[in-house]
Amino acid sequence: METWDAIRARRNVREFTDQPLSERELARILEAGWRAPSSRNWQPWDYVVVTAREQLRELSEVWRGGGHIAHAAAAVALVVDDYAEARDREIAAYDLGQASLQMMVAAADLGIGSGHSAVADQDLARRVLGLPEAKIVRYIIDFGHPADRPLKPIRKPNRRPLEEVVHRDHW
Ligand SMILES: Cc1cc2nc3c(=O)[nH]c(=O)nc-3n(C[C@H](O)[C@H](O)[C@H](O)COP(=O)(O)O)c2cc1C
């Protein structure tokens, strides 16, 4: 897919087929996250990739909006330090947003769907992923082949009108 088509085709996919991702596909998605920009290039992230069904099921319980993880082909947990400083937390969150979207667009480019999940139960996430105490999972991004319909550029996305959002020169 062209980059522009991948950007327009990406949407949150919450129902997946049973088809696994190939190692090549997974490697491409992870490399996209690895290449993401970050503040001062500090790369605050670690990515824990999960493909085992039972582990995915357990991860789907970390937040009530994470049920879709149970049926995904893979999930990538976005792990950072549990920063004491609010500024560090804020910058890390911005950086993780960039890494997330980069992985999601790379997936869309391959026709692979993706979805976000917040994480509420840190103890559960930590146990399932075997994380050290000092780390937290900020978000989980899951991936798989869409069960509803293939990805294709969305002509009319559910967004505020472009002209309302974009301000030229002045507010
Ligand atoms: C920071 C963030 C957290 C999100 N958390 C969840 C979540 O916990 N569960 C979920 O199903 N979707 C989650 N979403 C997906 C949004 O609901 C979705 O991106 C938004 O409705 C726009 O739809 P689209 O991604 O299909 O364009 C999250 C998205 C973002 C950016």
Side-chain angles (χ1 to χ4, degrees):
M1 221 187 263
E2 291 291 327
T3 310
W4 181 234
D5 284 345
I7 288 170
R8 291 185 301 151
R10 187 219 56 82
R11 59 183 166 85
N12 254 257
V13 172
R14 299 185 179 91
E15 291 169 60
F16 302 97
T17 69
D18 292 337
Q19 190 183 339
L21 302 189
S22 70
E23 266 311 311
R24 211 166 146 259
E25 289 168 329
L26 205 46
R28 168 83 69 91
I29 291 167
L30 293 164
E31 183 171 340
W34 173 73
R35 286 178 178 271
S38 63
S39 171
R40 290 166 283 121
N41 199 26
W42 71 327
Q43 306 163 66
W45 45 58
D46 283 272
Y47 305 135
V48 184
V49 192
V50 175
T51 55
R53 182 61 54 208
E54 191 43 41
Q55 238 181 315
L56 290 166
R57 267 196 210 107
E58 287 186 284
L59 279 182
S60 74
E61 312 251 304
V62 297
W63 164 241
R64 61 185 160 77
H68 46 89
I69 298 169
H71 308 289
V76 176
L78 308 179
V79 176
V80 289
D81 284 0
D82 192 4
Y83 298 107
E85 295 290 328
R87 175 107 183 108
D88 288 337
R89 286 203 299 277
E90 186 190 321
I91 297 170
Y94 188 96
D95 293 339
L96 286 184
Q98 307 226 47
S100 301
L101 191 60
Q102 191 136 299
M103 285 192 261
M104 294 172 111
V105 171
D109 176 59
L110 299 168
I112 294 166
S114 59
H116 306 80
S117 175
V119 179
D121 190 340
Q122 285 294 333
D123 290 339
L124 176 60
R126 230 183 241 124
R127 184 178 59 69
V128 173
L129 301 172
L131 296 189
E133 274 299 310
K135 300 282 181 185
I136 59 165
V137 185
R138 284 305 297 260
Y139 285 97
I140 295 173
I141 311 293
D142 53 343
F143 299 92
H145 292 275
D148 50 357
R149 59 193 186 283
L151 294 182
K152 65 169 201 191
I154 299 167
R155 276 182 355 104
K156 289 190 178 169
N158 175 17
R159 296 294 190 255
R160 290 166 52 210
L162 184 64
E163 57 278 11
E164 178 188 309
V165 173
V166 177
H167 305 255
R168 292 184 188 266
D169 301 327
H170 296 284
W171 179 262

